[in-house]
């Protein structure tokens, strides 16, 4: 989400976005540090949305694209006469130095675990060093970094000393581009109240930690102001020797300078000509850029991203209803093994299952009862037949006895 801006909270039509600004014009300061009578309108790029996430992502890719490939020597660790002893000698199968007569013979070689062996996964120059960056995203990030440089809060949060600076963004007369002496540039920064940032950068110079001290980057130092100019008529020679000061032409603004480390809010000092040229470089909300083919400035989705200010405004609060009191309804937890409704919430099939089981039990009970009645009738019939046979056999037995 874009950072909050000091603009009205309402949502204007899209064709009026370019007219909205907290500072419509910017004063131009003369070489003596006093505000001149001339004022220049604020370029539209300073009203672009501020996207810290996009700036961080693009900066990471651009920083990778500036790396120089490095690798270890391709034969390092393999320049030995070594061969494995094979199996059967109760030693590891690592290649071993050949020969004899010295303690070096028989020692392991080549492996990354061996003394004087190669490293694990030796680095190669054909590693994928670079990363492709979408051109529109790169331009969007640059516009966001420029917009952030116009907010004093973000500039101070980044650590720049701008307490004595009369305004942000700081615009000086175009004659500064003709300066050729460092003494003149130093006096100008003192008159503008920006020299404190240079002194902060100078005092921060310290030895780098780690191996970088041996690799042509012995010291580290904080960044100071960035001077943006239109034409170099000696301005580079004047400012280049001041500690922490960077210079950049307005036609080649670099995100690595506008947001060092991926952090927004670089303190930028503009020359008047460079400041006026921004509308041609990036365009406005109504016309496209004249130097970037088919490029239009990204327009903010919201005129003001401060949602708390919008919600708490009188216009919004006057039409919303009052908040309803929350009702805490406490329900008794029911045992699904005893309560059928609670069981059906957990298992809707339980009702059908119980009906099926009940019908099956009733059918089995009916079958069992029918079979029992059948067995009872059969036993009664057998008993009657046996009794009838007994009665008919009694007279025959009596006749035989006589």
């Amino acid at each position: 989400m874009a950072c909050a801006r000091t603009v009205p909270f309402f949502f204007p039509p899209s064709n009026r976005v370019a007219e909205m600004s907290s500072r419509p014009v910017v004063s131009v300061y003369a070489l003596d540090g006093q505000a001149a009578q001339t004022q220049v309108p604020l370029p539209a790029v300073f009203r672009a949305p501020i996207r810290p996430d996009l700036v961080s992502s693009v900066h990471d890719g651009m920083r990778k694209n500036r790396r120089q490939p490095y690798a270890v020597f391709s034969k390092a660790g393999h320049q030995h006469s070594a061969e494995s002893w094979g199996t059967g000698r109760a030693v590891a199968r690592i290649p071993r130095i050949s020969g004899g007569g010295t303690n070096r013979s028989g020692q392991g070689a080549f492996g990354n675990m061996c003394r004087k062996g190669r490293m694990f996964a030796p680095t190669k120059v054909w590693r994928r060093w670079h990363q492709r960056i979408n051109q529109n995203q790169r331009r969007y990030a640059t516009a966001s970094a420029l917009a952030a440089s116009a907010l004093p809060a973000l500039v101070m949060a980044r650590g720049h000393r701008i307490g004595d600076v009369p305004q942000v963004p700081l615009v000086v007369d175009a004659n500064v581009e003709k300066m050729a002496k460092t003494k003149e540039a130093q006096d100008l920064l003192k008159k503008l109240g920006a020299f404190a940032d240079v002194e902060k950068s100078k005092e921060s110079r310290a030895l780098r930690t780690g191996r970088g001290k041996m690799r042509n980057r012995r010291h580290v130092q904080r960044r100071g102001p960035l001077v943006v100019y239109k034409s170099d008529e000696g301005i580079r020679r004047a400012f280049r020797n001041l500690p922490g000061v960077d210079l950049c032409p307005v036609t080649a603004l670099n995100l690595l300078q506008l947001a060092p480390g991926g952090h927004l809010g670089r303190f930028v000092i503009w020359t008047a000509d460079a400041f006026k040229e921004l509308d041609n470089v990036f365009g406005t909300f109504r016309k496209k850029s004249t130097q970037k083919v088919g490029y239009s400035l990204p327009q903010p989705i919201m005129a003001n991203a401060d949602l708390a200010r919008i919600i708490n405004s009188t216009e919004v609060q006057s039409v919303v209803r009052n908040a309803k009191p929350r009702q805490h309804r406490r329900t008794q937890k029911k045992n699904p093994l005893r309560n059928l409704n609670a069981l059906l919430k957990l298992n809707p099939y339980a009702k059908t299952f119980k009906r099926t089981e009940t019908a099956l039990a009733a059918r089995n009970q009916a079958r069992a009862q029918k079979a029992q009645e059948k067995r009872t009738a059969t036993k009664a019939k057998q008993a009657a037949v046996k009794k009838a046979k007994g009665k008919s056999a009694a007279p025959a037995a009596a006749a035989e006895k006589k």
Side-chain angles (χ1 to χ4, degrees):
M1 180 181 291
C3 295
R5 288 306 191 73
T6 311
V7 293
F9 69 89
F10 54 83
F11 300 89
S14 58
N15 60 350
R16 292 184 57 195
V17 173
E19 299 176 2
M20 299 181 55
S21 173
S22 57
R23 181 191 289 270
V25 293
V26 178
S27 300
V28 178
Y29 284 80
L31 300 183
D32 57 356
Q34 301 298 324
Q37 298 296 328
T38 58
Q39 291 181 332
V40 292
L42 187 73
V45 68
F46 288 103
R47 296 189 292 274
I50 300 178
R51 293 282 304 277
D53 54 340
L54 187 61
V55 170
S56 178
S57 174
V58 173
H59 180 277
D60 187 55
M62 294 182 65
R63 185 178 52 81
K64 290 179 180 178
N65 294 339
R66 295 191 63 179
R67 291 184 295 179
Q68 178 177 338
Y70 64 88
V72 297
F73 181 45
S74 60
K75 296 182 180 180
H78 279 264
Q79 294 177 305
H80 305 291
S81 176
E83 190 175 356
S84 175
W85 288 357
T87 59
R89 302 185 62 174
V91 293
R93 289 174 287 183
I94 192 75
R96 297 178 182 277
I97 301 295
S98 58
T102 175
N103 60 352
R104 181 59 174 148
S105 61
Q107 291 183 355
F110 296 168
N112 65 305
M113 76 294 292
C114 300
R115 178 173 175 264
K116 294 190 177 181
R118 58 165 170 77
M119 66 176 290
F120 169 75
T123 53
K124 304 294 182 181
V125 293
W126 58 79
R127 183 192 298 184
R128 187 173 179 267
W129 300 97
H130 299 84
Q131 175 180 332
R132 295 190 63 181
I133 308 173
N134 184 286
Q135 185 185 58
N136 196 44
Q137 289 184 353
R138 186 167 61 246
R139 291 173 174 175
Y140 200 146
T142 304
S144 294
L146 287 174
S149 68
L151 298 178
L154 294 180
V155 177
M156 296 181 69
R158 200 185 173 278
H160 291 287
R161 307 288 174 83
I162 59 171
D164 297 332
V165 176
Q167 72 174 13
V168 174
L170 182 59
V171 183
V172 295
D173 190 68
N175 292 327
V176 72
E177 297 179 354
K178 300 178 181 179
M179 282 187 177
K181 296 293 184 179
T182 306
K183 180 64 176 177
E184 298 176 357
Q186 182 175 339
D187 293 340
L188 174 64
L189 292 179
K190 288 182 178 180
K191 293 175 182 178
L192 294 174
F195 195 70
D197 201 42
V198 178
E199 291 180 333
K200 180 259 312 182
S201 180
K202 181 180 179 180
E203 294 171 357
S204 67
R205 183 178 174 87
L207 280 176
R208 181 186 296 272
T209 58
R211 289 279 181 174
K213 288 192 293 289
M214 310 174 189
R215 296 172 182 167
N216 269 352
R217 45 182 187 268
R218 190 167 183 80
H219 296 90
V220 290
Q221 183 173 314
R222 298 291 300 274
R223 297 294 185 97
L226 172 66
V227 180
V228 180
Y229 58 91
K230 182 179 180 181
S231 59
D232 181 14
E233 300 178 16
I235 186 173
R236 293 192 69 90
R237 292 177 59 87
F239 283 90
R240 67 183 181 182
N241 205 33
L242 293 175
V245 177
D246 296 330
L247 294 102
C248 181
V250 68
T251 55
L253 289 170
N254 190 353
L255 184 66
L256 298 178
Q257 291 182 322
L258 290 172
H263 305 297
L264 294 168
R266 181 75 185 267
F267 177 37
V268 185
I269 300 175
W270 303 86
T271 65
D273 291 344
F275 201 70
K276 298 174 184 176
E277 187 68 14
L278 282 174
D279 280 341
N280 295 329
V281 175
F282 289 94
T284 65
F285 293 111
R286 295 185 176 182
K287 68 175 183 178
K288 295 186 176 181
S289 170
T290 59
Q291 299 186 16
K292 304 178 189 296
V293 179
Y295 176 71
S296 299
L297 270 178
Q299 296 196 13
I301 298 176
M302 299 178 63
N304 181 13
D306 192 353
L307 292 179
R309 182 183 174 192
I310 296 175
I311 295 174
N312 296 326
S313 63
T314 307
E315 290 79 1
V316 174
Q317 291 296 323
S318 62
V319 295
V320 298
R321 62 171 174 78
N322 295 329
K324 293 182 178 179
R326 296 185 60 183
Q327 297 179 355
H328 298 279
R329 297 182 178 180
R330 304 186 182 278
T331 58
Q332 182 182 5
K333 184 178 179 181
K334 297 180 180 180
N335 187 356
L337 299 178
R338 296 182 178 181
N339 190 287
L340 180 60
N341 292 330
L343 178 62
L344 293 179
K345 288 182 179 180
L346 298 176
N347 182 15
Y349 184 70
K351 189 174 184 179
T352 304
F353 181 76
K354 280 196 171 186
R355 286 180 176 178
T356 305
E357 289 292 325
T358 303
L360 183 61
R363 187 166 59 251
N364 292 339
Q365 185 178 2
R367 288 180 180 178
Q369 185 177 359
K370 188 176 181 180
Q372 182 65 26
E373 292 176 355
K374 188 175 181 180
R375 284 194 298 268
T376 303
T378 303
K379 286 182 179 181
K381 187 176 181 179
Q382 290 177 354
V385 171
K386 187 175 182 180
K387 186 176 181 181
K389 286 183 179 182
K391 289 182 178 181
S392 60
E400 289 179 359
K401 286 180 180 182
K402 292 179 177 183

